[in-house]
Amino acid sequence: MTAQAHPFVRRVNWLHVIAAGLAAGLFINIFEYVAHRVLFNNAWTAAFRALGKTPTGWGAFIPANFFVGLLMVWFFARLRLHHDEGVISALKSGLGIWAVFWFIPMMAMMPMDLFPNWLLVSVSVLGFVEVNLAALLGAWLYNRA
């Protein structure tokens, strides 16, 4: 029997994914702004200056972070179909997104010696916090919508 023919098969609610994903993306964008433009602004400026560059193009991350929020909530929605609808599935989706979009890229840049390692580790650690908080928010909104 196919998934569509079975009357009790739960499906991903795309309207909920979009609404909760955009909210999660907004949370990520706010957190990223505070982290990179307030807390680490001087460190990023110095790191780019050492490369003979000026830190520009931060605006490109805004739509990317909304995409990350959408992807994370979609991942949660898929997980909840086969696992629980709560915190564990939310944190699994957050962990997966963090690994792909924060941890791997930051660790891959370390051997290139482009930026200070402490800054890359700090971004990865803050990313872990922000993406899991955003995952919890997105999951809560998805389940409530």
Side-chain angles (χ1 to χ4, degrees), residues 36 40-56 58 109 112-120 123:
H36 297 289
F40 294 132
N41 189 49
N42 292 338
W44 280 119
T45 301
F48 275 96
R49 188 176 298 127
L51 296 171
K53 305 258 183 218
T54 303
T56 58
W58 294 112
M109 281 196 274
M112 295 181 210
D113 206 27
L114 295 172
F115 302 108
N117 285 344
W118 73 266
L119 185 57
L120 297 175
V123 167

Side-chain angles (χ1 to χ4, degrees), residues 118-143:
W118 73 266
L119 185 57
L120 297 175
V121 169
S122 297
V123 167
S124 188
V125 169
L126 279 176
F128 181 80
V129 172
E130 82 184 66
V131 80
N132 282 294
L133 290 174
L136 291 170
L137 171 66
W140 181 75
L141 291 171
Y142 182 91
N143 286 331

Side-chain angles (χ1 to χ4, degrees), residues 21-22 25 61-73 97 101:
L22 290 175
F61 288 100
I62 294 170
N65 289 334
F66 281 112
F67 173 74
V68 166
L70 289 166
L71 185 63
M72 181 169 54
V73 172
I97 294 298
F101 290 99

Side-chain angles (χ1 to χ4, degrees), residues 1-13 78 80-82:
M1 193 177 272
T2 66
Q4 294 168 336
H6 197 284
F8 298 108
V9 172
R10 295 184 303 169
R11 298 178 192 194
V12 171
N13 184 320
R78 295 294 301 164
R80 76 187 285 277
L81 294 176
H82 303 288

